[in-house]
Amino acid sequence: AQVEKILLDNALPSLKDGETGYYIFHCGYIDADLFKVSSLTLRRAVDLDAALSKNIQEYIRQNQIELITYKDLSVI
């Protein structure tokens, strides 16, 4: 809920029309092997919760925010 609050209160409203911004979600599978090699473990579950939040999804829809992935970026 904290990541969702940060996004709704600060990050998303700070975007201006025509601007590009970013927020990186580190969603992913968490298992014992991941805990051995990464400190970014429980944060993945928190990010997934925020990314799937109905409030976040509705804000994105209402404000016509285009979501992209790294694949959508062109290499210069």
Side-chain angles (χ1 to χ4, degrees), residues 3-63:
V3 173
E4 179 182 341
K5 182 169 177 38
I6 290 169
L7 286 169
L8 288 173
D9 291 349
N10 300 314
L12 294 175
S14 70
L15 293 174
K16 305 293 184 245
D17 192 27
E19 285 185 343
T20 300
Y22 70 93
Y23 187 88
I24 299 171
F25 287 98
H26 291 93
C27 304
Y29 185 74
I30 303 171
D31 62 8
D33 290 333
L34 182 67
F35 277 94
K36 294 175 190 173
V37 299
S38 177
S39 62
L40 196 60
T41 52
L42 297 179
R43 175 62 191 256
R44 293 173 191 261
V46 171
D47 279 359
L48 179 62
D49 187 54
L52 297 176
S53 160
K54 297 294 182 200
N55 293 331
I56 297 293
Q57 292 175 15
E58 184 61 25
Y59 186 96
I60 288 169
R61 245 188 318 279
Q62 286 180 354
N63 291 277

